[in-house]
């Protein structure tokens, strides 16, 4: 096993979107390349951590050296996360779909001859981050969430940290004008109980390296 400050530590990372089926050929999902989550998992491996990487159907390849758990839906992601615990730290970078279709059709939904589109009934998905952050026992020592916002980024992200019960929130502005969604760079603010730390715009790989170093320091 590798050396490094995270040697002997187990870190869980969720990444990518989830796909919630409508029928066998259609789904709803959030927009997510999985690039930031994969970079974080890779940076944690580089610091010697044992990393469980729970990923939805992402556009980027998973990093080398992780224990890979590929899932499709939010329900599967929650089950995979719970099965992977205990962990010293958990980073929730996945863009989980907030809703799923109540009864996905077993066969492909056909276009109605009358031109009437189908009506889908949705139910809320479990909040994986909040579920883990609020565990009564066996909670990872450090729970990190993300907040991708388009307006009042820091206010919404701080409120989210308290509401979900996580230790840190990595807040970023994903307004289309920033080019961050699907891009190579990110501009984040790290929010903890100690306050807010604005990081300059940098490569997603560099955000990942810095975050992994902060995680190592917090677990030391
Ligand atoms: O509430 P919102 O989706 O903006 O919160 C984002 C954070 O919560 C991210 O860390 C995301 O991975 C996590 N999350 C989750 N399960 C959900 C929704 C969000 O783990 N169902």
């Amino acid at each position: 096993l590798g050396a490094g400050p995270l040697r002997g530590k187990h870190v869980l990372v969720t990444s990518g979107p989830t796909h919630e089926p409508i029928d066998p050929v259609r789904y709803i999902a959030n927009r997510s390349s999985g690039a930031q989550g994969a970079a974080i998992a890779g940076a944690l491996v580089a610091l010697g951590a044992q990393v469980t990487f729970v990923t939805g159907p992402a556009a980027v390849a998973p990093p080398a050296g992780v224990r890979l758990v590929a899932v499709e839906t939010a329900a599967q992601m929650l089950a995979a996360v719970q099965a992977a615990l205990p962990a010293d730290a958990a980073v929730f970078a996945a863009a989980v779909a907030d809703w799923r279709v109540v009864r996905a059709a077993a066969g492909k939904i056909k276009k109605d001859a009358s031109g009437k589109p189908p009506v889908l009934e949705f139910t809320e998905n479990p909040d994986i981050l909040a579920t883990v952050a609020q565990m009564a026992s066996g909670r990872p020592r450090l729970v990190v969430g993300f907040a991708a916002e388009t307006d009042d980024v820091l206010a919404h992200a701080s409120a989210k940290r308290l509401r979900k019960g996580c230790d840190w929130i990595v807040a970023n502005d994903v307004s289309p004008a920033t080019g961050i969604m699907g891009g190579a760079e990110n501009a984040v603010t790290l929010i903890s109980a100690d306050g807010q730390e604005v990081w300059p715009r940098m490569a997603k790989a560099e955000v990942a390296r810095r975050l992994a170093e902060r995680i190592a320091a917090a677990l030391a």
Side-chain angles (χ1 to χ4, degrees):
L1 284 169
L6 284 171
R7 183 163 43 114
K9 303 282 192 246
H10 178 213
V11 185
L12 181 70
V13 179
T14 71
S15 187
T18 64
H19 286 182
E20 311 296 333
I22 294 169
D23 68 16
V25 300
R26 305 182 179 96
Y27 60 84
I28 64 157
N30 285 31
R31 213 180 273 287
S32 167
S33 66
Q36 188 64 81
I40 291 165
L44 291 162
V45 169
L47 294 187
Q50 180 206 329
V51 176
T52 301
F53 188 61
V54 180
T55 180
V60 303
V66 299
R67 190 174 77 84
L68 179 67
V69 185
V71 299
E72 187 157 346
T73 67
Q76 290 166 359
M77 186 172 276
L78 174 61
V81 163
Q82 287 172 329
L85 292 175
D88 297 286
V91 181
F92 294 87
V96 182
D98 291 301
W99 309 280
R100 67 176 180 276
V101 176
V102 173
R103 280 170 301 273
K108 183 180 175 187
I109 300 170
K110 298 284 188 276
K111 275 186 273 187
D112 190 316
S114 69
K116 215 176 89 207
V119 176
L120 302 173
E121 189 191 340
F122 289 95
T123 187
E124 202 164 306
N125 268 331
D127 190 311
I128 303 165
L129 166 62
T131 300
V132 172
Q134 294 169 28
M135 282 171 66
S137 73
R139 180 192 189 275
R141 258 164 70 204
L142 181 67
V143 177
V144 183
F146 278 71
E149 308 282 350
T150 56
D151 56 288
D152 288 332
V153 176
L154 297 187
H156 282 134
S158 302
K160 192 165 286 184
R161 191 183 78 82
L162 296 174
R163 192 168 66 243
K164 301 214 183 201
C166 57
D167 302 295
W168 299 351
I169 281 267
V170 180
N172 62 341
D173 185 342
V174 292
S175 305
T178 65
I180 280 170
M181 293 292 286
E185 292 189 327
N186 208 348
V188 309
T189 299
L190 181 61
I191 301 174
S192 71
D194 298 333
Q196 304 182 344
E197 202 181 288
V198 182
W199 293 5
R201 189 172 177 128
M202 59 184 90
K204 285 181 179 174
E206 184 58 25
V207 170
R209 270 194 293 277
R210 287 199 187 197
L211 189 63
E213 264 162 24
R214 298 298 288 266
I215 290 168
L219 294 183

